Amino acid sequence: MLAGDSATDPDVAPETVNRLLGEGAHVIIGAGASGVSQSFIQTLSDAQIPQCAASNTSPSFSTQANADFYFRTVTVAIGESQVMANSMASRGATNVAIANRADDYGASLARLLADDLAELGVTSQTVTFDPGAPSFDATVAQILDMGVDAVGLIAFEEGIAITRRLIEMGVPSWAIHLTAGQFDFSMPERVNPTDPTVVDGLRVQSPSGSEEFNQRVFEKTGGNAIYGGQAYDCAVILALAALTAGGVDGPTIIAAVPEITRSGQKCRSYGECAELVVQGIDIDYDGVSGPLEMDDVGDTTVGRYVLAEVRNGELEVIETVDVTIDQ
Amino acid sequence: MVGIRRGIAASIAAVALVAAACGGGDDSQGGPTATPSASTSTIEPTAAPVVPPPAAAPELVIGRVLPETGSLAASLGGALIAGVELAVADINAQGATSSCSPAIRPPIRTWPLRQ
């Protein structure tokens, strides 16, 4: 494996991709953010290099022409919005403030969440914030002025500061629901190092691997498994596609990718699947991140999510759910 | 949307090629799995015996472009990178120990992380 840093920067990532291609990469896994993947997707399309993204949830990739060598192992944002909306509604939310970071990810997920809440009879209002802002006091003040009974916070690292401020300003922690970018088992004590129980009741969901696989990721990361299963499945699918295709050229691999995850004999590991492939048997790989069931445009249609809640100052997984995206 | 085209015909032909390699491969070859390409490259240790794949077997080089730094490094980077690393280890180990080893030996070439 050739390692490269996207730096979470659309100006840096294309340079990293060019380096990796120069060193002989046949396929690319990444980037982490949809906006960063967009910065080099055209390069990979032109070079006919397959690209697998484990954490790009922007709907844009499903319809753009230069995504012909692109696929992903995470469902589009609608999967997460459904889990989040259902959780908020189940706790009695009737009027929700949706606070989203000002980028493609934040805006698209905010729209989907508003739609899903509306389908459940829940009204919502949206406030957008600059994730690089030195202070989020103004954003929190806007939320308080809305008179809502729940807050859906679409953020990444900056969500810690926003959550802390919301609680300081009197928003009940059980009324706050976070998105996947904030799923971190150290989150409660990062919000309040002296008393993480002030976060009790807060919920967060995330695309995830199986619980067994997450434990393997925890051993490497010390407490964060977000999208780890999806990244694992990117590599396995690419390897199985190369094996199925009998080569490593991009067009051959990408042509083989969709069939790896659907309509064949079920298998659940690289070794098990490879044994079938060499026997000429069509396989249906069920990954550590769920059944996958990739469609013709490279979108995963069944995504695995975990829903977690802070209890006694610790984030506990309370439910694992596979979400099927309607085609 | 161009999307991914289903390559059924191409895949069937390729499977036959791989299957043939499985039946006719020489299982006694030795040597490293990976092919170092630069003086700084070394082979990552693997638990399984390292044997070069036959000519017909693909050896896939994965490049990963993930957030080691920047705003997503803390929230996403660690697990994303761990997931890929675990997969590469599993694929290499499972491929190397398979009963049909010539065709499904480790398809992923590995190098140490380069900064």
Side-chain angles (χ1 to χ4, degrees):
Chain A
M1 179 175 64
L2 302 174
D5 182 11
S6 70
T8 325
D9 188 331
D11 293 325
V12 173
E15 297 177 8
T16 303
V17 167
N18 286 333
R19 174 176 68 80
L20 296 178
L21 296 183
E23 293 178 357
H26 299 125
V27 298
I28 293 292
I29 295 177
S34 295
V36 178
S37 285
Q38 291 287 11
S39 72
F40 58 79
I41 192 171
Q42 187 65 53
T43 296
L44 296 181
S45 176
D46 292 343
Q48 299 188 319
I49 298 292
Q51 173 188 2
C52 183
S55 54
N56 293 172
T57 57
S58 169
S60 303
F61 296 104
S62 304
T63 54
Q64 62 190 68
N66 63 1
D68 50 351
F69 280 77
Y70 174 96
F71 70 99
R72 49 185 160 183
T73 50
V74 64
T75 56
V76 293
I78 193 169
E80 178 165 14
S81 70
Q82 287 178 0
V83 174
M84 190 170 182
N86 285 332
S87 175
M88 298 179 89
S90 72
R91 305 181 97 185
T94 61
N95 184 18
V96 172
I98 301 173
N100 69 277
R101 51 186 286 140
D103 60 12
D104 183 36
Y105 161 76
S108 60
L109 184 50
R111 285 193 297 270
L112 292 168
L113 179 58
D115 291 345
D116 286 332
L117 287 168
E119 285 191 13
L120 296 170
V122 179
T123 60
S124 65
Q125 306 168 66
T126 301
V127 57
T128 300
F129 59 83
D130 174 4
S135 166
F136 298 102
D137 289 359
T139 300
V140 171
Q142 282 182 273
I143 292 170
L144 295 175
D145 287 344
M146 289 176 172
V148 295
D149 53 25
V151 178
L153 179 54
I154 302 171
F156 288 114
E157 185 65 18
E158 71 279 3
I160 295 291
I162 298 173
T163 298
R164 182 184 303 123
R165 188 60 178 163
L166 283 168
I167 293 172
E168 286 173 351
M169 295 302 291
V171 176
S173 53
W174 49 262
I176 302 171
H177 203 124
L178 311 181
T179 46
Q182 302 157 92
F183 193 105
D184 184 342
F185 284 91
S186 66
M187 179 266 294
E189 62 185 25
R190 294 175 67 210
V191 172
N192 191 321
T194 58
D195 184 9
T197 64
V198 302
V199 195
D200 279 4
L202 177 147
R203 282 187 176 180
V204 56
Q205 80 286 317
S206 170
S208 173
S210 63
E211 291 186 28
E212 178 184 1
F213 178 78
N214 287 345
Q215 290 301 320
R216 297 180 66 193
V217 178
F218 293 158
E219 291 175 7
K220 281 181 164 282
T221 65
N224 191 339
I226 179 172
Y227 298 115
Q230 283 72 17
Y232 182 98
D233 285 336
C234 269
V236 172
I237 290 169
L238 286 165
L240 288 171
L243 184 65
T244 300
V248 294
D249 63 297
T252 308
I253 290 176
I254 203 68
V257 162
E259 290 299 329
I260 298 295
T261 65
R262 64 188 187 195
S263 66
Q265 184 168 330
K266 290 285 186 185
C267 52
R268 291 175 177 79
S269 71
Y270 174 80
E272 180 187 358
C273 294
E275 291 279 4
L276 297 173
V277 168
V278 298
Q279 295 174 50
I281 298 172
D282 182 25
I283 61 170
D284 180 0
Y285 171 63
D286 279 2
V288 298
S289 65
L292 297 162
E293 301 295 327
M294 197 167 296
D295 65 15
D296 286 340
V297 298
D299 280 348
T300 293
T301 62
V302 183
R304 178 162 294 162
Y305 292 82
V306 291
L307 179 64
E309 183 176 310
V310 180
R311 293 174 175 171
N312 298 317
E314 295 186 352
L315 190 63
E316 296 181 11
V317 173
I318 59 174
E319 187 177 7
T320 298
V321 56
D322 287 347
V323 177
T324 300
I325 307 300
D326 293 334
Q327 298 299 292
Chain B
M1 171 60 193
V2 175
I4 295 174
R5 277 86 54 183
R6 302 175 73 166
I8 296 174
S11 295
I12 291 172
V15 168
L17 174 65
V18 172
C22 178
D26 178 359
D27 209 8
S28 63
Q29 300 172 63
T33 299
T35 305
S37 68
S39 59
T40 57
S41 297
T42 58
I43 302 165
E44 289 184 346
T46 58
V50 286
V51 182
E59 184 183 55
L60 186 68
V61 180
I62 291 177
R64 60 106 170 132
V65 185
L66 296 171
E68 297 173 16
T69 60
S71 60
L72 296 189
S75 55
L76 304 187
L80 283 168
I81 293 169
V84 176
E85 290 177 345
L86 287 168
V88 170
D90 285 354
I91 292 165
N92 285 335
Q94 292 169 16
T97 57
S98 168
S99 61
C100 191
S101 55
I104 55 176
R105 275 196 188 111
I108 294 184
R109 186 185 304 171
T110 57
W111 278 289
L113 185 148
R114 297 175 181 178
Q115 296 294 337

